[in-house]
Amino acid sequence: IRLYAYSMKKIMLLRFVIVLRLVMGLRTCLTRGLAASTVAAAQIVCAAPGVEEGTKLFEANCASCHAGGGNIVARQKTLTTANLKADGYTTDEKLSNMIAKGVGAMPGFGQDCAPKYACTFGTRLSEEEIVTLAQYVQIQAQAGWAST
């Protein structure tokens, strides 16, 4: 029983380390001996090179309305995995398109966003920045927005 308890504590600690690394954008992964869901999360971190940039972009452009994955304008439209899936934003491409063009009360951030009243009054984002931001949102949603 002690060995089992020790193993469970070790697994939980390793999962915490993986989530912490995910949040901080570190690209090294601990995958040996972890549960399948933790390994999948670690692989997401390794496959997403723009986590630091995504954090900066999110803080500068999105956090005022979507802090912690929430939504202060339409509370039911949060950035959780379940809500993104329910609204059809299941891929980086679909999410990028929504970020670029806007939807509902959310303004578009793309360079070619139109009509002008549907777009941000702030700085527009490049296509690369929008893709980075979409990937960041997907990663945070999968992690449950634990760090924000």
Side-chain angles (χ1 to χ4, degrees), residues 55-112:
T55 301
K56 291 176 189 174
L57 289 168
F58 188 85
E59 291 296 322
N61 298 287
C62 311
S64 60
C65 293
H66 293 289
N71 188 328
I72 64 168
V73 178
R75 296 202 186 276
Q76 72 279 10
K77 298 288 186 179
T78 63
L79 300 178
T80 62
T81 302
N83 282 347
L84 290 172
K85 186 176 181 180
D87 292 336
Y89 301 112
T90 55
T91 65
D92 289 341
E93 182 180 350
K94 289 179 180 180
L95 193 55
S96 293
N97 190 44
M98 187 265 296
I99 294 167
K101 295 180 180 178
V103 64
M106 185 185 130
F109 288 85
Q111 296 289 337
D112 58 349

Side-chain angles (χ1 to χ4, degrees), residues 7-135:
S7 296
M8 291 305 295
K9 285 181 182 179
K10 187 175 179 181
I11 289 171
M12 294 304 292
L13 178 62
L14 289 174
R15 284 184 177 177
F16 174 77
V17 168
I18 294 294
V19 170
L20 184 62
R21 287 179 182 219
L22 173 74
V23 167
M24 298 184 71
L26 300 176
R27 291 180 187 85
T28 56
C29 300
L30 299 172
T31 58
R32 188 179 306 163
L34 301 179
S37 62
T38 307
V39 173
Q43 290 168 344
I44 290 168
V45 175
C46 291
V51 175
E52 298 93 354
E53 183 65 21
T55 301
K56 291 176 189 174
L57 289 168
F58 188 85
E59 291 296 322
N61 298 287
C62 311
S64 60
C65 293
H66 293 289
N71 188 328
I72 64 168
V73 178
R75 296 202 186 276
Q76 72 279 10
K77 298 288 186 179
T78 63
L79 300 178
T80 62
T81 302
N83 282 347
L84 290 172
K85 186 176 181 180
D87 292 336
Y89 301 112
T90 55
T91 65
D92 289 341
E93 182 180 350
K94 289 179 180 180
L95 193 55
S96 293
N97 190 44
M98 187 265 296
I99 294 167
K101 295 180 180 178
V103 64
M106 185 185 130
F109 288 85
Q111 296 289 337
D112 58 349
C113 179
K116 194 171 185 173
Y117 64 82
C119 308
T120 182
F121 293 110
T123 305
R124 303 284 178 95
L125 302 176
S126 69
E127 286 184 36
E128 183 178 292
E129 290 172 321
I130 289 172
V131 169
T132 299
L133 189 52
Q135 290 171 347

